[in-house]
Amino acid sequence: MTRQPVPLPAEHIPPGTADWRTPDARRWLTAASARWAHPLWALLALVASLIWDLEAAPVAPCTSADPCAADWLGLGTAVVLVLTLYWVWRQPRLALAGLAATLAGFAMDGGFTAALDEPSTLAFLTAAAFTAAGLVHRLAVAVRQRALALEAAGPAAQPLPAAARTFRRGRFSFALAALLLAVAGFGYWQTQQVVDAYEERAAGATHLSGRVTALKEDDDGIGILKVEADGRTHRFETAFPEDFPVDSRVDIVVDGDWAALVAEPYDAFGWELLVLVGSVAGLAFLANGVDGRTRSQRLRRGPLPVLHVLVREGQDDGRTWVFAADDPEGLRPILHFHSLYAFEDGDEDGDGLDAGDGPAAVVELGKVTEILRGEDPPQPLREAVLYGVPYVGAEVAFVAREDADDAEVSVECSVTAVKPAVPRLVELGPQRRKRMNPRRSVDEITAGMTPTAGPRAWTAHGFSRAVGLGLLLVQGGGIWVTLDEELSWTWLWLAVGLPWLVTAVATALTWRITADRDGLWVTGAWRVRQVPWNVITSVRHSDDGIRVGRAKDSPVELSPTGWAWLERRLGREPHAGRTVEELQALLLRPELRPLEEAPPGRQGVPVGPPLVALSVLWGVAVLLLL
């Protein structure tokens, strides 16, 4: 029997609100971007042509007249180019601006003239033209969809609900942008310190011309140049040994025991790379923050068109899917986006998908049973009023009830751009996942489970431990490589990455879940947490992790717990997936739960602290061996 959508009280449907019906929705979907304009094709064409052009283009040698020093213009061009590649996927308007700036610099450098002689350059220009055509097409699609949505909504316009007017976007992106741009500024300052130190010392040094007498590599593969000048032999490290053949003449500067090649005066590559990465990431977050803030302000600017629709929250990805008002079975989705609850106090920050989960409430066992029974049915369809004009890249808000038992309505605002529900280039949707991961019903699961008095335990098995050992090797190698270098900014990567690696290794090697009469004992990397049966709302397996939802507190998570993709490819059922199924069965069938309490010895022991001690000992051993 078809389940009826959760109704929306009539007083929350503004007068004149039009139903978004299937014929209008199909016209809206038909106006979606053509498959040739998908950003993946443009990115592949641009990246391939850029790699070809860079490989084919001659590299200017380092000379005294044109030394290989800090090149801020070239670094700025690289920043714009990388950002353009990112914006091709996310921001068509910014991508067009970035592409125009790149082509302008290309023209100033004589690139269009070279295109007549160089196939690689011609390929890049062709890829740029294809990308521009796709971007223009996507922007034209947005205009067309906007017109169709306005036509379907009719003349009615309503002010945005009060809660949505206080919803703010962009704060998280702005904070990250400030941090990353500060990192880039620090890298720039450090680079200038290196440049100024060289120029200051070179100004008072003696300038000599010497002869290259030998060229070899040291144990680390770094080119070593021997130069004889003024009766002395000087040794220099060089990144481009091919520029200095034996018996060639080179200019050097000498100040006592200090000497430097004029053609390669200093090495600030690490700091320049930090500037590049920090600038690209910082500007990307800044653009996302500005775009989100601008779109949300545009949404609050005045009365908006409204559409009567049906909505449903996706089980697998948390997206909000929108359906036509006359599609009560939810068979043909129109569009989707991620959303967050909006509250009138304006404290929510809608900049990330996990910025907030809304008010927590104790979930009754009957509701848990309804959600977890059988094949985990989808969330119910809900009547909703959609505020704003939906089109690709738009911002919208909607009002709906959570379920039939909830008397109050909630307001949600989109935190990602609207996207049409069209087939993807590579199908990874619910139907494909369902075929790859056939779910068993509760009856099938419980058929193989025998009630026991003692506690039940599920622990890390072969694949999970293999993942843990692999990450442990990465951790040990990372410590070795980092400590092998002198103290520098690269040590920051160790400080940032090591805590995550230790947590992942400890979890993958020794995770454990023990079920007893009172609840679950979940052993992670750092501690053992007890979750009583009466507060568990869900148990799920996703992204190679196990997540135990709780009614009032944040969920308890274990990750990684294996490698489900590889296990399936080898014809095996993922151990973590079977663990979750059996835990769900215990949650739904209390008669299968153990009758005894788990003693401390059966609750598990976290190995994160010993692993930290082991990592410290390994670091000390590496320092002693170097």
Side-chain angles (χ1 to χ4, degrees):
M1 184 176 65
T2 302
R3 189 174 173 182
Q4 294 299 318
V6 176
L8 182 66
E11 61 269 21
H12 292 284
I13 302 177
T17 300
D19 291 344
W20 200 2
R21 297 192 172 276
T22 297
D24 293 328
R26 286 179 177 173
R27 291 174 58 203
W28 188 91
L29 276 174
T30 304
S33 300
R35 294 179 72 84
W36 68 265
H38 194 283
L40 176 62
W41 308 130
L43 284 176
L44 291 176
L46 278 177
V47 171
S49 62
L50 278 172
I51 293 175
W52 184 16
D53 194 42
L54 290 174
E55 287 292 330
V59 179
C62 301
T63 64
S64 300
D66 186 17
C68 294
D71 181 11
W72 296 119
L73 179 60
L75 191 142
T77 303
V79 168
V80 172
L81 187 57
V82 176
L83 280 173
T84 300
L85 294 176
Y86 169 70
W87 285 334
V88 164
W89 192 276
R90 288 291 303 273
Q91 305 279 359
R93 285 187 175 83
L94 291 178
L96 277 176
L99 198 60
T102 302
L103 292 177
F106 189 73
M108 293 175 61
D109 200 31
F112 290 103
T113 304
L116 300 176
D117 302 321
E118 297 291 339
S120 60
T121 305
L122 183 60
F124 170 70
L125 291 177
T126 303
F130 174 73
T131 302
L135 294 171
V136 171
H137 173 75
R138 288 160 61 188
L139 293 174
V141 162
V143 173
R144 174 63 177 160
Q145 287 183 328
R146 177 182 173 84
L148 290 172
L150 284 172
E151 181 181 339
Q158 299 292 333
L160 200 63
R165 288 196 294 270
T166 62
F167 192 81
R168 294 293 181 266
R169 291 284 310 278
R171 286 179 290 184
F172 182 67
S173 284
F174 287 144
L176 276 180
L179 176 62
L180 291 165
L181 291 176
V183 170
F186 175 73
Y188 173 80
W189 176 74
Q190 287 288 350
T191 304
Q192 285 301 115
Q193 291 289 99
V194 174
V195 174
D196 294 343
Y198 165 77
E199 291 180 348
E200 181 180 353
R201 193 155 191 179
T206 303
H207 290 250
L208 300 174
S209 177
R211 183 176 64 88
V212 178
T213 60
L215 180 62
K216 63 178 182 179
E217 289 187 356
D218 61 9
D219 295 337
D220 295 327
I222 299 175
I224 303 297
L225 203 66
K226 287 187 178 181
V227 178
E228 186 177 325
D230 198 24
R232 295 177 58 187
T233 299
H234 303 274
R235 294 165 55 89
F236 304 98
E237 291 185 358
T238 174
F240 305 100
E242 65 275 7
D243 293 342
F244 309 102
V246 176
D247 290 332
S248 63
R249 305 292 299 184
V250 294
D251 295 324
I252 63 175
V253 287
V254 180
D255 182 16
D257 294 334
W258 176 84
L261 283 171
V262 175
E264 289 187 39
Y266 47 81
D267 181 14
F269 176 76
W271 295 118
E272 290 177 298
L273 183 62
L274 184 64
V275 174
L276 174 66
V277 174
S279 298
V280 168
L283 291 174
F285 276 109
L286 180 62
N288 288 344
V290 171
D291 178 67
R293 180 63 56 88
T294 301
R295 286 192 280 118
S296 64
Q297 289 177 347
R298 189 181 303 125
L299 192 67
R300 301 193 301 268
R301 192 168 296 165
L304 299 170
V306 287
L307 286 166
H308 184 213
V309 296
L310 300 176
V311 298
R312 171 189 286 156
E313 182 181 347
Q315 286 288 96
D316 299 304
D317 51 20
R319 289 189 179 96
T320 296
W321 295 82
V322 176
F323 301 82
D326 57 352
D327 184 13
E329 296 183 2
L331 300 178
R332 296 171 295 277
I334 307 171
L335 56 90
H336 60 85
F337 51 85
H338 286 94
S339 61
L340 288 178
Y341 292 100
F343 303 95
E344 294 192 26
D345 55 14
D347 290 337
E348 291 295 314
D349 183 1
D351 189 55
L353 302 185
D354 299 321
D357 295 324
V362 177
V363 182
E364 300 175 358
L365 181 59
K367 190 176 296 184
V368 174
T369 304
E370 182 181 3
I371 295 174
L372 296 178
R373 181 182 293 119
E375 297 187 353
D376 194 6
Q379 296 292 324
L381 279 170
R382 299 176 288 157
E383 276 192 292
V385 174
L386 193 69
Y387 288 80
V389 186
Y391 58 89
V392 177
E395 190 97 354
V396 294
F398 68 91
V399 175
R401 291 169 66 192
E402 284 300 296
D403 53 49
D405 299 328
D406 194 348
E408 299 294 328
V409 299
S410 60
V411 179
E412 296 186 47
C413 294
S414 60
V415 293
T416 58
V418 166
K419 293 182 180 180
V422 295
R424 300 181 182 180
L425 291 178
V426 179
E427 185 186 356
L428 294 174
Q431 294 302 320
R432 178 177 174 85
R433 283 192 290 271
K434 185 176 179 180
R435 289 194 298 270
M436 294 178 61
N437 303 304
R439 292 176 180 245
R440 298 182 298 165
S441 66
V442 175
D443 292 335
E444 290 179 280
I445 298 169
T446 56
M449 299 177 63
T450 305
T452 60
R456 293 177 180 266
W458 298 264
T459 61
H461 275 211
F463 280 93
S464 181
R465 288 171 181 162
V467 170
L469 289 175
L471 292 175
L472 185 61
L473 291 176
V474 172
Q475 175 185 324
I479 293 174
W480 181 287
V481 171
T482 303
L483 297 182
D484 189 31
E485 301 179 358
E486 296 181 358
L487 183 62
S488 66
W489 66 270
T490 56
W491 287 41
L492 292 175
W493 298 116
L494 181 64
V496 173
L498 191 58
W500 178 86
L501 273 174
V502 170
T503 301
V505 169
T507 302
L509 289 175
T510 61
W511 66 267
R512 181 186 181 95
I513 299 178
T514 302
D516 65 5
R517 69 182 184 187
D518 298 322
L520 300 179
W521 295 91
V522 183
T523 303
W526 305 105
R527 58 175 174 160
V528 180
R529 284 176 286 190
Q530 185 185 27
V531 188
W533 290 113
N534 60 355
V535 303
I536 298 176
T537 61
S538 64
V539 184
R540 296 185 182 276
H541 173 232
S542 63
D543 298 329
D544 291 319
I546 296 175
R547 178 186 177 110
V548 179
R550 295 186 290 182
K552 296 183 179 180
D553 300 313
S554 59
V556 178
E557 298 185 74
L558 296 174
S559 180
T561 55
W563 193 356
W565 179 85
L566 182 58
E567 292 178 69
R568 295 190 186 99
R569 293 306 180 274
L570 295 177
R572 300 186 181 185
E573 182 180 3
H575 174 65
R578 177 172 284 275
T579 297
V580 166
E581 288 183 342
E582 293 181 358
L583 290 173
Q584 289 177 342
L586 292 181
L587 185 62
L588 295 172
R589 304 287 172 84
E591 66 274 11
L592 293 176
R593 298 173 189 173
L595 303 177
E596 299 175 0
E597 183 180 355
R602 297 286 304 274
Q603 295 171 9
V605 178
V607 298
L611 192 57
V612 170
L614 181 63
S615 301
V616 172
L617 291 175
W618 171 244
V620 172
V622 169
L623 289 175
L624 293 176
L625 291 172
L626 295 177

